[in-house]
Every structure is written in C-alpha cells, then in structure tokens.
Amino acid sequence: MIARLDAVLDRLAAHAAAPVPTSLTDPDPTTGERWTAGQVWGHISEIVPYWLAGARRIVEAPPGEPVEIGRTLDDPTRLAGIVRGTQVAVPVLFDETRAAIGEARRFIAGLTPADLAREVRHPRYGVMSLAAFLERFIVAHLEEHAAQLDGLRS
C-alpha cells in the first residue's frame, strides 16, 4: 500500500504542477456526476483525512464486532469537499493532500498484522478487513481520482 501511495502522490504532484484543465471529467459510472479539476482536487483533499480518521477508530475500538463505517454520496462532508475545490487553489489542496498521504503512510507503516485483520462493516461493501478497507477507501480511491485528472489532461 505504501508503494502505491508513493506512486499516486507522484502522479498528483505532476497534476498540481500543470495548468488546471477546464474540461469536465467523464461521467461517473454510478452517479453520472461530472466534475471540474477543482472539484476533483477538493474531494481528493478531503478523502484521506476522512477515511484515515475512520481507520484510527477501527484500530482503537475494542475487539469484537466489526466497526460500522461509511457515508452516503450526499454526506455533507463529502459535498463540502467537492465545493471547496471550486474555492481553493489547487496548490493549497495538493499541499493538504500531500500532508494527509504522509500521515496515512505513517499510520499504515505502524499497523500490526492483528490491526490489519480487524473487521469493518461498510453499508455498501459489507464486512472487510482493515487492510481491505485502507486499500479501497484510501489507496484505490486516490488512484481513481488521479485517473480522472489524467483524463482531464488528455
């Protein structure tokens, strides 16, 4: 996971250093949403802290039942991040994202095998391990949004 975080951070750094595209993303297969680059950046800057806080709750919870975690597409924090991307410059959003990815790297590096095996219950994906949760909601999620930015540049 750490190597993939490093790779996606490099991709995001290249996007942050380039001119901001003016087109819209391809429609999301699930929602049909189309975003500006700023909206993508706003969402990216918000997802790592949000899901990392959830991962910390999972590790800190007493053993036993899976920790319930997740949010809907109309969650106010998710929507606020997307809107914030239209109001804050990409370099600022990238700096926040870079710091959050660094925090995620340190958190992941400190996890034990027992931590990674902890169970999470997500309303859409069901029960999964913390390792699967981190891969899906932080690592792959960042990769998906980096791919959106790739698409906007091409």
Side-chain angles (χ1 to χ4, degrees), residues 60-153:
E60 293 165 1
E65 284 297 307
V67 175
E68 300 276 342
I69 196 156
R71 64 182 181 182
T72 61
L73 294 176
D74 61 353
D75 180 89
T77 57
R78 177 184 178 272
L79 297 176
I82 295 165
V83 170
R84 185 170 178 264
T86 66
Q87 303 164 344
V88 177
V90 168
V92 173
L93 297 169
F94 173 68
D95 285 345
E96 293 170 1
T97 301
R98 180 178 44 217
I101 290 173
E103 202 173 321
R105 286 179 92 261
R106 288 185 294 280
F107 175 78
I108 291 167
L111 294 173
T112 66
D115 292 332
L116 290 167
R118 298 288 299 263
E119 289 190 329
V120 182
R121 184 185 322 276
H122 185 272
R124 181 173 174 197
Y125 296 99
V127 175
M128 63 178 69
S129 68
L130 176 60
F133 170 86
L134 291 166
E135 193 284 326
R136 172 67 197 103
F137 291 102
I138 295 181
V139 180
H141 202 162
L142 285 169
E143 291 169 339
E144 290 163 7
H145 290 300
Q148 282 184 308
L149 293 172
D150 294 343
L152 289 174
R153 282 180 67 188

